[in-house]
Amino acid sequence: MEMLDVRFSCLPGMEDDLIAPAPARQHLPDWLRDMPNEAATDFTGGHALRTLKQCPPFLDVMQAGFLFFLQADITIEDGWVRWDEGVPAVEGSSHPRSPVALHAVEQLKGSPLDQGQMALKFLNFFTIAMPPGWFALFTHPHNRSELPFQTLSGMVDAHHFAHGLVHFPAMLARDFDGVIPKGTPVAQMVPVPGAQLKPSAHVGSMKEDEFRRHLEVSQDLRDEPGAYRKSFRLVPSQA
């Protein structure tokens, strides 16, 4: 399988002062490692069920693509945002030194996000370059509901916009006061081929052979724990 060339470039002289984007698989949260593999439940008479830790789709999406990180501690207190440390200035650049900015509440007007509060904007200091036809899909870090914000989703042409900086708007939890520490993942980026942006689709009922195969797969999943992971999941190393 041909490797996709993804390049992240920071402003000159900043490489030693920034937390670089990194493969998401290298930064799984501690709570995932600490989870039990099984947990008993009254629904099955006390028998153990496999937890999310044993669910390949749940794990695979958390490991997909790359994570971007907060570059300095920020403190949220009584609706105010402050930080005590910025990033170094770069001569000739107008890029702010702050790790975060704000979107005015009016920019959310008419959307379900308009709840009377401004949106955060986590600032990014790395350009993203990919070959022609590839887009960068940005989302909240997958399955990370413990984070005190919700990053909004967006998608950028990572070839034609290779020299621009993409920032990450996010809605802060309304009841949150405290510190969001430096190094917190604030966005997850997964490369998406442009050909998938306008897919064609056919909707209909299963043909006889498709229904037979569906029944076989359903039976396999019932009979063998981990059948999807063992028989139906093509991991990158096998692609």
Side-chain angles (χ1 to χ4, degrees):
M1 180 179 181
E2 185 178 351
M3 295 292 292
L4 175 64
D5 183 22
V6 181
R7 300 190 179 191
F8 302 107
S9 302
C10 66
L11 299 178
M14 298 179 67
E15 57 271 16
D16 295 330
D17 298 296
L18 297 174
I19 304 173
R25 65 179 181 274
Q26 297 176 0
H27 292 272
L28 296 175
D30 291 339
W31 60 257
L32 182 63
R33 296 189 180 90
D34 295 340
M35 278 185 67
N37 291 324
E38 296 181 338
T41 173
D42 292 338
F43 289 111
T44 59
H47 295 294
L49 294 177
R50 288 176 295 158
T51 66
L52 288 172
K53 194 172 184 176
Q54 298 294 305
C55 178
F58 185 87
L59 298 176
D60 285 347
V61 76
M62 294 183 72
Q63 298 181 84
F66 302 86
L67 289 174
F68 287 74
F69 304 95
L70 184 61
Q71 297 296 338
D73 292 353
I74 62 172
T75 300
I76 314 294
E77 188 173 14
D78 296 328
W80 292 89
V81 184
R82 73 172 191 270
W83 52 91
D84 298 321
E85 175 190 2
V87 299
V90 175
E91 185 177 356
S93 171
S94 61
H95 195 286
R97 297 182 58 201
S98 60
V100 66
L102 295 170
H103 280 292
V105 65
E106 288 78 10
Q107 293 179 274
L108 307 173
K109 190 173 182 63
S111 78
L113 301 171
D114 183 3
Q115 299 179 13
Q117 65 173 2
M118 293 186 290
L120 292 176
K121 181 163 67 174
F122 296 114
L123 296 188
N124 167 41
F125 299 84
F126 289 86
T127 60
I128 305 157
M130 287 191 274
W134 284 88
F135 285 68
L137 173 62
F138 298 95
T139 65
H140 183 78
H142 297 157
N143 295 327
R144 297 296 298 272
S145 59
E146 82 280 9
L147 297 173
F149 54 84
Q150 181 70 35
T151 304
L152 305 187
S153 299
M155 188 156 55
V156 172
D157 186 323
H159 177 68
H160 291 99
F161 196 67
H163 301 295
L165 294 172
V166 181
H167 305 298
F168 313 120
M171 300 305 298
L172 185 68
R174 294 187 67 90
D175 59 349
F176 178 77
D177 268 5
V179 176
I180 304 178
K182 178 179 180 177
T184 297
V186 296
Q188 190 156 356
M189 187 277 283
V190 177
V192 177
Q196 293 186 8
L197 302 182
K198 295 182 179 179
S200 60
H202 170 76
V203 180
S205 61
M206 297 180 187
K207 298 178 181 178
E208 182 177 351
D209 61 327
E210 293 172 331
F211 182 56
R212 175 185 55 78
R213 183 59 182 143
H214 161 72
L215 294 177
E216 292 172 352
V217 170
S218 299
Q219 189 65 47
D220 288 343
L221 295 174
R222 287 193 295 269
D223 291 346
E224 183 179 5
Y228 168 74
R229 175 177 54 82
K230 297 173 184 177
S231 303
F232 302 103
R233 174 175 168 265
L234 184 64
V235 297
S237 61
Q238 297 174 342

